[in-house]
Amino acid sequence: MNKEDDMREVELNEMDQEKQPMTGETPTGTEKNGCVKVKVPEDTEVKFTGLSKEELMKVAGTAGWVRTRWALLVLFWLGWVGMLAGAIVIIVQAPRCKPIPEMNWWNEGLLYQISDVNEFSENGLKGVEEKLDYLNQMKVKGLVLGPIHTVQADQSSTLELTSINPEFGSESQLISLLNRAHRKGISIVLDLTPNYEGVSAWFNNAASVAERLKEACVYWLSKGVDGIFLSQLNDIVNTEAWPSVQGMFNKTDGTKKRYGVVDSGICKEDICLEEQRHVLARLIQMFDFSALRCLNLFLLVTFRALMGSVTGLSVDDVSHLLNRSSVDLLLTGLPDPAEPGVRQAQVIRKLYAEHLQTSLGWSLSGRTLGSLASRTPAAPVRLFQMLLFTLPGTPVFSAGDEVGLKAGEKLEAMWDLESQAEDGNATAKGEHTAVHDFFKALSDLKGKERSLLHGEYISLHSSPTSLAFLRLWDQSERFLVALNWGKDSVTMTLTNSDLPAVARVRASTDTENLAVDSKVSVEKLELGPKQAVLLSYAFPG
């Protein structure tokens, strides 16, 4: 066998198994490996094609199917009624929200006093208008302006309450200021304290200027002013002329309200004159409010405010004055920061218990009192900023309080806190910036948190050098305020059924130990010397 035959035999031996015969034989006609014939039997089963109409009607009428249908129908309605009853029970048992108390624009945020217009801005009234964006950033709701009328110190014969002192600007500039301020949502209150540059605010005879005061109120309110402010209110309240002055602000036609038309959210004009009020009255008669909405027109009604201030009165005298005067807002000059914390807590509780918080104005600065920082030199100004912003009522600050200006410092320091100070004192500039940021944060919380706007006041702690209280409203977030103006640290033991174990820091003068957004224990609250903290926690229910 040659080599070629050997190779052919090897190839045959290594053939795939499937090509090999199953028996090892390959007879002619036999089936090859892998080729299998399978016979599938035919499907002779009859398929179900459903019931005919006659058969279906016959089955549906049987007693079993009738009972089944009735059972399903009853179960459906029982389930539906059960879900409805459950929803009603949930609604009835759910805690009801307390109605929001009636509030006016002077209760919705801070008021800002500019006693000396020329000191605030070199351009007088025009300069104030230029600074409206600055005020708007701080969430200012109302601007107490002046006095700016014409008068010589202690000379009642020179008093012209309807005339603007040319040193401050002109009436047209005041009208321009009013229009632009209203477009930004800022109301303007005009201070008409007669003898603001003299010894006695009312010339030692308030009754002698009462008639001129009433005429001035009518005049300026007709120009669009949102309110009138009177210093040393107790002097004019004790005269026979006061009921007629105060009665002007109880009217609803022209003095109590300011009317305006807004188109697409932009104030077109402030309507205060008699003929314009008649036009709006006709609109109200012709259309209901929904019709006005369709016309993209809205009627703005802003209540006019009668405000006043007093200094040096006891809490009992202040309470009596509030009852007798019936003013919309009274700046009490309380609590006195020089008094112990226990006494301050007593003053706050008495005023809160006996009067609506919508009539309580809290201010520790002003034309006669000086700046907030100069009046409270023993403690950081931020501590008293927090106190004023969180008390039940309206916080009122004077120009410069937002940056902590002290006696002798000029208001120009507010306008460019980022640039280098003229005297090169970067440390003082950094402090002003920090105070300003702290002020804006508190103002933002005051304007949007219901507990701070109109919530209940609950005293938690008081000592000669410290104070703590709670502000809460219905199911809204709660706020706890703690202040320590003493020279030593204090540990406050706070107990109240509403208090949680821990709370979140929202604002703090001690950012090293009480950082914003950190969690702190409430039961044993530790506060360093001359520090303050604002905590918040959710509704426990």
Side-chain angles (χ1 to χ4, degrees):
M1 184 178 295
N2 56 23
K3 186 175 182 180
E4 228 174 75
D5 293 335
D6 292 340
M7 293 298 294
R8 195 175 291 114
E9 184 178 353
V10 170
E11 289 176 359
L12 290 173
N13 292 335
E14 294 178 354
M15 288 177 64
D16 294 338
Q17 292 298 322
E18 64 178 7
K19 296 180 181 180
Q20 298 289 338
M22 297 179 65
T23 59
E25 300 179 358
T26 56
T28 306
T30 60
E31 296 294 339
K32 292 184 179 181
N33 183 33
C35 297
V36 180
K37 292 182 178 180
V38 180
K39 292 183 179 181
V40 180
E42 295 181 2
D43 189 1
T44 59
E45 183 180 358
V46 178
K47 296 182 179 180
F48 177 74
T49 58
L51 300 177
S52 64
K53 181 178 179 180
E54 292 76 11
E55 293 173 333
L56 186 61
M57 294 299 295
K58 182 178 180 180
V59 173
T62 61
W65 276 109
V66 170
R67 287 193 298 268
T68 301
R69 289 199 301 273
W70 274 106
L72 293 174
L73 181 64
V74 170
L75 287 175
F76 168 78
W77 282 108
L78 286 177
W80 189 88
V81 172
M83 289 188 294
L84 179 61
I88 294 174
V89 170
I90 293 174
I91 294 173
V92 171
Q93 293 184 347
R96 297 179 181 273
C97 295
K98 293 175 64 175
I100 301 298
E102 182 180 353
M103 299 180 66
N104 294 294
W105 60 262
W106 58 88
N107 306 127
E108 297 174 350
L110 75 102
L111 301 185
Y112 191 86
Q113 286 185 307
I114 303 178
S115 299
D116 191 330
V117 173
N118 287 335
E119 184 180 357
F120 184 79
S121 172
E122 294 180 354
N123 296 325
L125 291 173
K126 183 175 178 59
V128 175
E129 181 179 346
E130 295 170 352
K131 302 300 182 183
L132 286 176
D133 288 335
Y134 169 81
L135 300 176
N136 201 32
Q137 291 174 0
M138 295 190 297
K139 305 296 190 300
V140 172
K141 295 300 180 183
L143 181 61
V144 182
L145 193 65
I148 58 174
H149 54 262
T150 301
V151 67
Q152 294 181 15
D154 301 322
Q155 300 292 324
S156 61
S157 59
T158 63
L159 177 63
E160 296 181 20
L161 291 172
T162 58
S163 175
I164 296 178
N165 190 330
E167 294 180 1
F168 302 130
S170 62
E171 184 173 314
S172 61
Q173 290 177 339
L174 177 60
I175 299 302
S176 176
L177 170 61
L178 287 170
N179 292 333
R180 188 176 178 191
H182 291 160
R183 287 196 292 270
K184 293 183 177 295
I186 299 176
S187 299
I188 302 294
V189 177
L190 194 59
D191 190 338
L192 291 183
T193 303
N195 191 27
Y196 60 93
E197 292 185 339
V199 176
S200 172
W202 295 90
F203 299 104
N204 292 316
N205 188 1
S208 64
V209 296
E211 289 300 321
R212 280 180 283 181
L213 175 63
K214 289 190 292 184
E215 294 174 0
C217 289
V218 173
Y219 181 81
W220 290 118
L221 291 174
S222 69
K223 296 295 183 180
V225 170
D226 300 286
I228 300 298
F229 185 90
L230 303 172
S231 300
Q232 298 302 319
L233 187 69
N234 49 317
D235 290 348
I236 183 68
V237 168
N238 293 326
T239 66
E240 296 180 355
W242 175 250
S244 60
V245 174
Q246 191 271 334
M248 296 171 54
F249 291 83
N250 285 335
K251 296 180 180 179
T252 58
D253 54 343
T255 55
K256 190 63 177 179
K257 299 178 182 179
R258 173 174 62 84
Y259 298 87
V261 172
V262 173
D263 180 10
S264 301
I266 303 175
C267 185
K268 296 300 183 184
E269 59 178 326
D270 293 286
I271 304 177
C272 305
L273 300 180
E274 191 66 29
E275 62 271 16
Q276 294 170 323
R277 289 199 300 273
H278 288 326
V279 172
L280 289 174
R282 291 290 302 277
L283 281 175
I284 297 173
Q285 293 174 358
M286 293 172 61
F287 303 100
D288 59 10
F289 186 71
S290 60
L292 289 174
R293 288 176 63 89
C294 295
L295 291 173
N296 204 27
L297 293 172
F298 296 88
L299 177 65
L300 295 183
V301 181
T302 302
F303 280 88
R304 302 304 182 84
L306 177 58
M307 303 180 182
S309 68
V310 291
T311 56
L313 297 186
S314 66
V315 64
D316 293 328
D317 292 337
V318 168
S319 182
H320 177 71
L321 180 63
L322 269 169
N323 290 328
R324 184 176 180 182
S325 65
S326 298
V327 291
D328 296 301
L329 190 72
L330 180 65
L331 279 60
T332 64
L334 299 173
D336 188 346
E339 291 185 338
V342 176
R343 178 57 182 165
Q344 294 189 41
Q346 292 174 350
V347 168
I348 297 169
R349 283 198 299 267
K350 180 176 179 62
L351 292 176
Y352 173 73
E354 297 181 0
H355 306 280
L356 294 174
Q357 59 176 291
T358 53
S359 64
L360 298 177
W362 305 101
S363 177
L364 299 177
S365 60
R367 174 184 291 273
T368 58
L369 294 175
S371 66
L372 182 61
S374 61
R375 193 175 177 204
T376 59
V381 67
R382 286 183 289 179
L383 188 149
F384 287 96
Q385 286 179 349
M386 182 178 293
L387 175 65
L388 296 178
F389 269 117
T390 55
L391 286 175
T394 301
V396 184
F397 294 91
S398 296
D401 288 346
E402 69 271 28
V403 297
L405 292 185
K406 300 177 181 178
E409 291 186 295
K410 296 183 178 180
L411 292 175
E412 284 82 352
M414 299 186 300
W415 307 136
D416 193 11
L417 295 176
E418 299 296 330
S419 64
Q420 184 68 25
E422 293 182 2
D423 56 1
N425 191 345
T427 302
K429 176 167 286 293
E431 176 63 19
H432 289 331
T433 302
V435 172
H436 188 238
D437 293 341
F438 187 78
F439 184 92
K440 289 197 297 183
L442 290 174
S443 181
D444 184 62
L445 287 173
K446 177 71 175 182
K448 68 182 182 181
E449 296 292 346
R450 290 184 176 178
S451 292
L452 295 178
L453 272 175
H454 47 71
E456 301 173 32
Y457 169 88
I458 300 175
S459 180
L460 297 177
H461 168 87
S462 61
S463 74
T465 60
S466 60
L467 183 68
F469 55 89
L470 187 63
R471 298 295 309 280
L472 56 89
W473 175 260
D474 198 26
Q475 302 175 44
S476 300
E477 190 171 17
R478 278 89 161 98
F479 286 85
L480 190 156
V481 185
L483 310 103
N484 175 27
W485 53 85
K487 297 180 180 179
D488 301 317
S489 298
V490 63
T491 300
M492 301 181 183
T493 303
L494 307 178
T495 58
N496 187 278
S497 59
D498 194 83
L499 289 176
V502 296
R504 181 165 69 104
V505 177
R506 302 299 298 273
S508 172
T509 61
D510 186 6
T511 54
E512 293 184 3
N513 299 315
L514 297 170
V516 175
D517 291 331
S518 64
K519 300 287 186 178
V520 298
S521 174
V522 172
E523 185 177 359
K524 296 285 186 179
L525 182 60
E526 297 183 3
L527 206 56
K530 300 182 179 181
Q531 301 295 344
V533 64
L534 177 64
L535 308 176
S536 71
Y537 60 93
F539 172 60

